[in-house]
Structures are given as C-alpha cells and as structure tokens.
C-alpha cells in the first residue's frame, strides 16, 4: 500500500470518527536516516550550547548506542557522534546533573541491568558512559529531586527479569555521580511499564505514577516521602496495555496535576484529572490507534495543554505518525487529528521543541523501519498536501522529469503573503500561488528534477511567507541514472 493511499485511509478514519481539524498544522519537513541502528526513543536538548535544539537518539539494535544529532536551526539535523552504550538501551533522560548548565544523559540498558551516566562537555560531546548496577532491567528512567539533598537524583522503574518490580532512586551527589539505589516495590500486584513524576499532593515532595498490568490495567500512585522512598496511595483503572505517562495542568489549575496514559492495545489515551491531594478522578478515554508514547504540551500558545501521541497503526497497513488532541483548558480534549510521519509501520516515540526558531513548538518522532528521525514543523496556517517529500526516481542525466505537485492551502482567516519561492539545484519550481493566497484558497507548487550526474541528491523548495518567521520547506529527493 502506498504512503498516500494509506494516509488517505487514516484521514478517512479520522473523519468517520468525528475528528476535526486543528488551527495548528504539522507537516513532515525532514526525514533523517539513522545509520547506526534501530531507534527506540530520543531526548531533546541544546547539547552544544548554540541555542539550537539537538537530539540524543537511543538505538537498541544491532548494538546499544546513543547517536547525537545536532540541530541545523531549520528543523533538520546532522549526525555528530555515536556512542556505544550498554547492550540494549531503550530510554534516556537529559538534565544538568552537576548544576552547571551543561546537559548530561542517563540511559537505561535492558540487557546489562545497568544505568549509564554520560556527562556532557558542553560542545555536543560526552564523556565515556559510567555504569551503575540496577540489579534488574531498567524499564524506564527519569530525573528529579527525590531525596531532599538539593541535587538531581535518577528515578528508575525496574523489573521483568527476577523478582524486584521496583522503583529505584539513585541519590545524586551533585557532581554527576550517584549513590546506591533506594528501592520501593511497585504495589498492587502489577508489572510496571512506565513512570512519571510530579507533586500530586502539593506537599513539596515529588511523587510517582506507574502504569502497568496485573489483574487490571491500571496506574499506581506512590507519594514521595522526601527521602527517596514512596508510600502507595491507590490505583486507577485504565485501558489495555498502559505505557507512557505524561503530566500537566490540563484544567489550568496549577494546584492540581493531571495525568495522561497511552494505552497501546486499548487504542486510547486515558486522562485522569487530579484532585490536588494525591487522588485522581476516574479515567476518561480518547481514541487513538495503538499509541506508543504520549506527551503534554501547549502547541498553539493559547495557554491550554494539548496531548500528542506517537501512532503506529501497524496491522491497519497505514503509515506511522502522530495524533494531536487539542485541549479545551477544562480537562477535556477535542478528538485527535492524525499527521503522517515516516514511511514505515513503527512510529515509536514523539517529543516536542522549537526546532526552527520560529517560537512555535514542532514535533519529532522516530521510525524503526527504516530507522529514521522525522521532523514535523508547526506550519501555522499553511497546509501542504501531500506531506511526504517529493521523490524523483531514476531520471536520466541531462533530462528533465515530469512535474510533481504539492497543493498549498491557506487555512487561516487572513491573506497569506508569499515573498519568495525557490528550489535548490538541480530542482526547479513553478507556482500558481502568486504573491497572495486568500483565506481558504488553494494553489499548486510544482517541482521538476534535472540531474547533472548519477546518484541521489537531496534538495528543497524554500518558501518565505507571512505564516512564519522562518522559511517553509518542501523536501525533495532525486536519483540521476545513466543516459
């Protein structure tokens, strides 16, 4: 099944499910091949101090590694360095563990039963990984102040190898080193899958939510004691195979932290609104196919938290992508809108950041097959169709391809002013858009490819318009073949 047909089917599913359009639009603007392995997750941070967001991407096969991708400032990235880490790492977290403003990394390794700490040098490079024995598989990792020392600690969910399905806190010494783990068993007879922390009862101590399955699919709440240990405080039922958890103030009340849980086989996101005392209301589910991760961000700057899931439709034969649920600001969310991202079936993870410096939050996701990082830029009111890059295959050197077209739509309420539209060589562009595209109007951007040599070349159509302070980009790829 082709990408365009699959995407159309998923759009049809969204319309049939009552899914509506967002004011904010996300378009695939870059797909970066990861050559060192299959990515399972990533973290976002400015690792070289240039004010541009970078990525640390975790690969779990063919060997454990962390690949550092430095941002170019336009939503694209370039490979900088790859570090061998563990045997099969899955999740990482980033923070300034030494309090010096330089970002470090912590990486959990499933097969070596170790946590690895990589101290940053501030220039995008990292010191050699230092291992800490967790005695069990570190299923999920995070950071925070759990012991009251004032230094950052590491939080780990372990389990599924021997007998300790546990929460571990590695107390930080403030210099990037850590003490022996402080262990609390996960309560209520579940196998934990993921964790998130926050002050759920407003006592100034970080608490933990654990998603997992046992007799029920549920989220356990553990209240922090301030010394690295936790006290069970009840659990809440959610849908099947709960995993990734996001926290945020979904109602706008900053005294009541709320939860969102991605239910993989339940094909939903469960929203649990907090009462501010460590307890939560029963879950309300929002449909989304097979979510693998969830984050909570204010995507459109309206002061209301939105939810974003990575969505690999898998057995539906559809492309991977992300689903965005616009928040109403009262704890409720509008039906999800799907945005295709990548050509493979396995969108594993999603993160957010302003990757092109236009003060709008963008999205980035990982695709396992083929292994790649896909950036979806927040294009404001400009909609492109298709969202996938234009590819020109096997074009004879010195000849010009048949044109391929992208439909541009102004979804806003005012005129879209286009200042310029250019294509990088050996591509060319023509447009029916003119200088102004009225509200709700559509025009066509057409590209051709005239290779000057054999081989594959990357390029782009760059559009300067009034919708963004940064260029809009249509990605191009062509392959020159012999005469």
């Amino acid at each position: 099944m082709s990408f365009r047909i699959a995407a159309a089917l998923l759009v049809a599913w969204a319309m049939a499910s009552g899914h509506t359009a967002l004011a904010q639009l996300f378009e695939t603007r870059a797909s970066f091949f990861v050559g060192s392995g299959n990515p399972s997750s990533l973290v976002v941070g400015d690792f070289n101090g240039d004010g541009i967001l970078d990525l640390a991407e975790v690969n779990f096969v063919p060997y454990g590694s962390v690949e550092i991708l430095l941002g170019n400032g336009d939503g694209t990235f370039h490979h900088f360095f790859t570090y061998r880490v563990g045997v099969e790492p899955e999740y990482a977290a980033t923070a300034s563990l030494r309090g010096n403003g330089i970002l470090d990394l912590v990486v959990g390794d499933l097969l070596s039963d170790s946590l690895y700490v990589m101290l940053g040098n501030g220039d995008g490079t990292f010191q050699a990984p230092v291992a800490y024995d967790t005695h069990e598989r570190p299923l999920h990792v995070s950071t925070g102040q759990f012991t009251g020392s004032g230094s950052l600690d590491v939080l780990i969910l372990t389990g599924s190898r021997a007998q300790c399905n546990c929460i571990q806190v590695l107390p930080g010494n403030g210099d990037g080193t850590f003490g022996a783990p402080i262990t609390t068993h996960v309560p209520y007879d579940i196998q934990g899958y993921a964790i998130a922390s926050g002050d759920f009862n407003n006592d100034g101590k970080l608490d933990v939510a654990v998603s997992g399955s046992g007799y029920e699919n549920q989220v356990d709440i553990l209240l922090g004691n301030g010394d690295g240990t936790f006290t069970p405080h009840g659990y809440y039922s959610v849908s099947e195979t709960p995993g990734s958890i996001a926290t945020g103030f979904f109602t706008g009340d900053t005294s009541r932290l709320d939860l969102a849980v991605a239910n993989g086989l339940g094909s939903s996101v469960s929203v649990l609104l907090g009462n501010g005392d460590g307890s939560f209301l029963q879950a309300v589910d929002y449909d989304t196919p097979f979510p693998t991760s969830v984050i909570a961000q204010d995507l459109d700057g309206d002061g209301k938290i939105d939810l974003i899931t990575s969505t690999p439709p898998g057995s539906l034969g559809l492309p991977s992508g992300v689903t965005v649920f616009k928040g109403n600001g009262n704890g409720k969310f509008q039906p999800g809108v799907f945005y295709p991202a990548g050509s493979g079936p396995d969108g594993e993870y999603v993160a957010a950041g302003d990757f092109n410096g236009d003060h709008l939050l963008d999205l980035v996701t990982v695709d396992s097959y083929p292994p790649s990082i896909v950036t979806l830029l927040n294009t404001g009111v400009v909609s492109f169709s298709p969202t996938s890059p234009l590819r020109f295959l096997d074009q004879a050197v010195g000849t010009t391809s048949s044109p391929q077209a992208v439909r541009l739509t102004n979804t806003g309420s005012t005129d879209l002013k286009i200042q310029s539209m250019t294509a990088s060589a050996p591509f060319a562009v023509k447009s029916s858009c003119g200088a102004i595209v009225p509200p709700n109007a559509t025009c066509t951007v057409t590209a051709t490819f005239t290779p000057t040599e054999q081989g594959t070349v990357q390029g782009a159509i760059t559009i300067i318009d009034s919708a963004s302070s940064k260029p809009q980009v249509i990605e191009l790829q062509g392959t020159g073949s012999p005469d």
Side-chain angles (χ1 to χ4, degrees):
M1 180 180 292
S2 73
F3 179 89
R4 295 186 187 184
I5 294 174
L9 285 175
L10 191 50
V11 169
W13 166 82
M15 295 176 63
S17 302
H19 289 46
T20 57
L22 287 173
Q24 242 53 35
L25 297 168
F26 294 89
E27 307 291 348
T28 299
R29 286 293 157 257
S31 182
F32 183 85
F33 178 72
V34 181
S36 59
N38 282 347
S40 59
S41 65
L42 55 83
V43 291
V44 177
D46 182 4
F47 299 129
N48 62 348
D50 64 353
I52 298 173
L53 288 178
D54 312 308
L55 303 177
E57 173 260 319
V58 181
N59 293 297
F60 63 95
V61 292
Y63 53 80
S65 66
V66 172
E67 186 166 355
I68 305 301
L69 308 175
L70 296 185
N72 296 320
D74 60 358
T76 65
F77 301 87
H78 64 274
H79 176 267
F80 184 63
F81 206 88
T82 298
Y83 297 88
R84 290 288 298 269
V85 182
V87 182
E88 191 175 299
E90 187 165 7
Y91 291 106
T94 186
S96 181
L97 302 176
R98 295 161 290 177
N100 59 0
I102 296 175
L103 289 179
D104 310 303
L105 294 170
V106 294
V107 184
D109 182 31
L110 292 178
L111 291 188
S112 69
D113 295 354
S114 297
L115 176 88
Y116 289 88
V117 175
M118 302 170 60
L119 298 182
N121 296 318
D123 59 359
T125 66
F126 291 81
Q127 299 175 30
V130 176
Y132 291 82
D133 190 359
T134 60
H135 307 292
E136 292 283 342
R137 293 184 178 186
L139 304 176
H140 216 269
V141 298
S142 183
T143 62
Q145 295 184 356
F146 299 98
T147 60
S149 68
S151 299
L152 278 180
D153 311 307
V154 175
L155 180 72
I156 310 169
L157 173 65
T158 67
S160 75
R161 180 179 290 280
Q163 70 276 1
C164 189
N165 182 30
C166 297
I167 296 293
Q168 290 187 1
V169 172
L170 273 63
N173 297 317
D175 59 359
T177 65
F178 296 87
I182 302 168
T183 300
T184 301
H185 285 261
V186 174
Y188 312 122
D189 295 322
I190 69 165
Q191 169 60 59
Y193 296 149
I195 51 175
S197 63
D199 187 0
F200 303 142
N201 61 347
N202 292 294
D203 65 352
K205 303 170 185 176
L206 284 180
D207 312 307
V208 175
V210 183
S211 63
S213 297
Y215 293 112
E216 294 187 55
N217 298 288
Q218 64 196 55
V219 175
D220 293 356
I221 304 301
L222 294 87
L223 298 184
N225 298 318
D227 59 359
T229 65
F230 301 89
T231 299
H233 194 68
Y235 65 90
Y236 300 85
S237 297
V238 291
S239 193
E240 190 173 359
T241 320
S244 173
I245 311 174
T247 63
F249 300 107
F250 304 157
T251 64
D253 185 345
T254 57
S255 68
R256 302 186 179 195
L257 196 59
D258 309 307
L259 301 174
V261 183
N263 305 307
L265 293 182
S267 288
S268 65
V269 173
S270 292
V271 172
L272 298 92
L273 300 182
N275 294 315
D277 59 0
S279 66
F280 293 81
L281 300 179
Q282 294 302 314
V284 175
D285 287 352
Y286 293 83
D287 293 339
T288 182
F290 312 115
T292 51
S293 68
V294 61
I295 59 175
Q297 296 282 347
D298 179 7
L299 293 177
D300 53 8
D302 64 354
K304 303 171 184 178
I305 296 295
D306 312 305
L307 299 178
I308 310 99
T309 64
S310 52
T311 305
S315 62
L316 296 180
L318 302 174
S320 60
V322 299
T323 301
V324 177
F325 301 83
K326 180 171 173 54
N328 295 330
N330 59 358
K332 297 181 180 181
F333 296 84
Q334 296 178 23
V337 176
F338 178 80
Y339 296 94
S343 57
D346 294 308
E348 299 285 349
Y349 201 80
V350 65
D354 179 9
F355 299 120
N356 63 345
D358 65 353
H359 307 294
L360 296 173
L361 279 180
D362 311 304
L363 301 174
V364 63
T365 185
V366 297
D367 196 1
S368 292
Y369 303 103
S372 55
I373 302 295
V374 181
T375 306
L376 295 95
L377 292 185
N378 189 334
T379 63
V381 299
V382 178
S383 171
F384 296 96
S385 179
T387 62
S388 54
L390 299 183
R391 290 185 169 89
F392 300 84
L393 302 178
D394 298 329
Q395 184 66 34
V397 171
T399 66
T400 299
S401 70
S402 298
Q404 293 194 45
V406 173
R407 189 170 65 253
L408 184 155
T409 303
N410 175 13
T411 66
S413 58
T414 59
D415 286 345
L416 174 70
K417 299 177 181 178
I418 296 180
Q419 179 179 338
S420 65
M421 188 179 300
T422 58
S424 57
F427 300 93
V429 62
K430 292 184 179 180
S431 169
S432 67
C433 299
I436 293 178
V437 182
N440 299 315
T442 295
C443 59
T444 301
V445 180
T446 303
T448 55
F449 173 52
T450 308
T452 58
E453 58 185 17
Q454 296 182 37
T456 299
V457 61
Q458 304 281 348
I461 295 172
T462 301
I463 305 170
I464 307 298
D465 59 43
S466 59
S468 173
S469 62
K470 297 291 182 178
Q472 312 269 17
V473 178
I474 298 173
E475 189 179 8
L476 306 172
Q477 184 184 90
T479 301
S481 62
D483 294 343

